[in-house]
Amino acid sequence: MHYSQFLRALTLGIALGSLFASTLTATPAQAGASILVEADSGKVLRAENATYPWYPASVTKLMTMYVTLQAVKQGRITPDTLFTVSRNALAQAPTKMGFGVGTQVTVDNALKMMMVKSANDMAVLLAEGVDGSIENFADDMTRTAHRLGMTESNFVNPNGLPADGQITSARDLAILARALIHDFPEYNYYWHIPAIKFGRRVIRNYNKLLGRYPGADGMKTGFICASGFNLVATATRGNKQLIAVVLGAPSSAARAVKAAELLESGFTQNPLSWLTPAFGLVDKLAPINADPPNLHDEVCGRHRKRPAAEDEEDEAGGESGGVDTPFSALLSSLRAPTPKGAALLSDFGAVTPTVVYTGPTRTPAQLANLSASEAAPHHKKKGSAKTAAAKPTDEKETDKKTAHEKGADEKAKTEKDATDKKAGAHSWTPTSSSALAASPPPGLETKRDAEPPKKRHKTKPPIRPTVAQ
């Protein structure tokens, strides 16, 4: 290496070191938290406030899924086990499925609804079904988290709705994602599902990377005002799988772009990677003893054009969840550093939703029949039932008419058409003031102009009356 090249590399290394140091002292409320980890080795590739405590919101449901699948693995329940919706489950705040008390749902369907719809009521259904109560299940969640090495995590509910004691970190969520991948590979389809179909309603996954970022294959989003927009995302290319965790983003678009940037940096060969700091393994990162930041004012304050929500849809034209940010433009303009210049986040493609339902497990044939019946076209409009019911009666009455009556009807119709034609019952389109005077619209003639047609009409022979029906 020439001396000048060495100096440039040294200068760049110093700059990167300063940037790394600044990320360690960054204010979490402003910078958010993130981490990028290799799923296989646990090696940390990038990190920012990764061990800072955070409110997990609905990414909590990843732990709910882990504990539920653990119960399946232990033989305590099966995917076909039916759990019953309680008053407590129905009372959960949105988002939720909203099934009535007493409705039965299999573990399999509840997991699918929870992961795609982020249904808070289905999380409670699973918690009460597995451990009898939310409190018992939350204790199970915390014990399991600590066993996995998630030393900064504590859970008090299975869905992530606001609670002071519900705490985690980007580091802990990366550990949880690794545990799900390695401990339950046979159930990985639960975090791959791009959409579900319940009845005729299709619900798309809130994880905007699925179907848009090449190789994206999971996992879960989360949002409450205090935490901002959170995302645990996984992607696989070749034999390499990465886990990206983003906490505290200002919108769903922002968290998707941030995760895509993290993942892309991990998949792209960086010739200067030797200059970047080594973070070690994810479970070796030192925790920070602090209170989680509360982002309520920043995320849900009065500056927003509309209320922030987990199910917000990013509007075209530069808005993301009601806030003007550069992230919405990045969704369509970012380009990956590849020869083909593929977009980091492409447009949503067509997806085949997974059918979900209530009640016992159905066979493939029953599901096929269910889908076929729901897909059958329905052309009925308002009042169509009344029309359809009246039609047979009208036809019977018509059949009863005599030939004489039919002839009278035809003659009356012909004479009426002739009268309408002479009276000016035709379409009218004025083109000028003179045209308006020469050809006034029907019904708006002057009295003088309207009288002659009346006189001529009186000289006509009377129309023969038709038979009353």
Side-chain angles (χ1 to χ4, degrees), residues 21-109:
S22 66
T23 62
L24 292 179
T25 58
T27 304
Q30 296 175 348
S34 63
I35 193 170
L36 179 67
V37 176
E38 288 182 350
D40 186 40
S41 66
K43 180 181 178 181
V44 178
L45 304 180
R46 289 179 63 180
E48 182 179 18
N49 296 320
T51 59
Y52 209 98
W54 215 272
Y55 296 120
S58 280
V59 292
T60 294
K61 296 180 175 86
L62 289 176
M63 179 54 75
T64 300
M65 180 168 60
Y66 189 99
V67 174
T68 301
L69 293 178
Q70 182 176 253
V72 172
K73 197 170 186 178
Q74 294 169 349
R76 296 160 54 195
I77 59 174
T78 72
D80 298 328
T81 299
L82 282 168
F83 290 152
T84 303
V85 175
S86 66
R87 293 187 182 277
N88 193 21
L90 179 60
Q92 297 302 301
T95 58
K96 60 183 179 180
M97 298 302 295
F99 299 138
V101 175
T103 304
Q104 290 191 310
V105 185
T106 63
V107 170
D108 174 67
N109 279 303

Side-chain angles (χ1 to χ4, degrees), residues 95-396:
T95 58
K96 60 183 179 180
M97 298 302 295
F99 299 138
V101 175
T103 304
Q104 290 191 310
V105 185
T106 63
V107 170
D108 174 67
N109 279 303
L111 284 172
K112 291 171 181 174
M113 296 172 191
M114 182 184 75
M115 292 299 293
V116 176
K117 171 66 174 173
S118 198
N120 293 323
D121 51 352
M122 293 297 97
V124 170
L125 173 92
L126 291 168
E128 293 177 337
V130 171
D131 283 326
S133 69
I134 286 179
E135 293 75 19
N136 291 341
F137 191 83
D139 290 341
D140 200 352
M141 294 170 73
T142 302
R143 284 194 304 270
T144 302
H146 294 170
R147 176 178 62 81
L148 295 175
M150 300 169 62
T151 57
E152 296 180 272
S153 296
N154 184 76
F155 298 98
V156 296
N157 66 51
N159 48 32
L161 285 173
D164 290 338
Q166 193 96 347
I167 299 172
T168 190
S169 67
R171 163 194 177 269
D172 279 12
L173 290 171
I175 292 174
L176 174 57
R178 288 190 70 219
L180 282 166
I181 292 169
H182 290 101
D183 295 350
F184 304 106
E186 69 273 30
Y187 295 111
N188 61 15
Y189 55 84
Y190 283 122
W191 52 86
H192 292 352
I193 302 172
I196 58 174
K197 183 174 184 289
F198 180 76
R200 294 187 184 178
R201 185 183 179 192
V202 175
I203 304 167
R204 190 127 195 181
N205 198 311
Y206 297 140
N207 181 359
K208 297 181 182 294
L209 269 64
L210 293 176
R212 299 183 71 191
Y213 180 78
D217 50 20
M219 284 196 167
K220 187 72 188 72
T221 62
F223 165 79
I224 58 172
C225 291
S227 74
F229 290 82
N230 302 337
L231 172 62
V232 178
T234 59
T236 304
R237 293 185 188 173
N239 295 324
K240 189 174 186 179
Q241 185 173 26
L242 300 177
I243 300 166
V245 180
V246 176
L247 304 178
S251 70
S252 60
R255 70 184 174 194
V257 170
K258 177 66 174 179
E261 290 177 328
L262 286 171
L263 293 167
E264 194 65 30
S265 69
F267 286 124
T268 305
Q269 288 289 341
N270 182 4
L272 297 177
S273 59
W274 60 278
L275 291 173
T276 58
F279 294 96
L281 300 180
V282 62
D283 56 350
K284 301 300 181 183
L285 296 180
I288 293 177
N289 185 16
D291 293 327
N294 190 323
L295 306 185
H296 186 281
D297 291 340
E298 291 87 340
V299 176
C300 297
R302 294 182 179 180
H303 65 286
R304 295 189 70 95
K305 297 178 181 178
R306 54 190 172 91
E310 171 67 285
D311 58 350
E312 71 175 16
E313 292 296 336
D314 301 320
E315 299 177 359
E319 289 189 6
S320 294
V323 179
D324 294 329
T325 73
F327 293 105
S328 53
L330 285 173
L331 283 170
S332 58
S333 64
L334 275 177
R335 294 292 181 270
T338 62
K340 295 182 180 180
L344 285 183
L345 294 175
S346 61
D347 293 334
F348 282 116
V351 299
T352 302
T354 298
V355 176
V356 296
Y357 50 90
T358 58
T361 300
R362 305 188 186 189
T363 65
Q366 290 173 327
L367 286 178
N369 291 335
L370 177 66
S371 299
S373 63
E374 290 167 352
H378 291 262
H379 302 294
K380 289 185 178 181
K381 296 181 181 179
K382 187 175 181 180
S384 61
K386 182 178 180 181
T387 303
K391 187 175 180 180
T393 304
D394 294 341
E395 290 174 350
K396 290 178 181 178

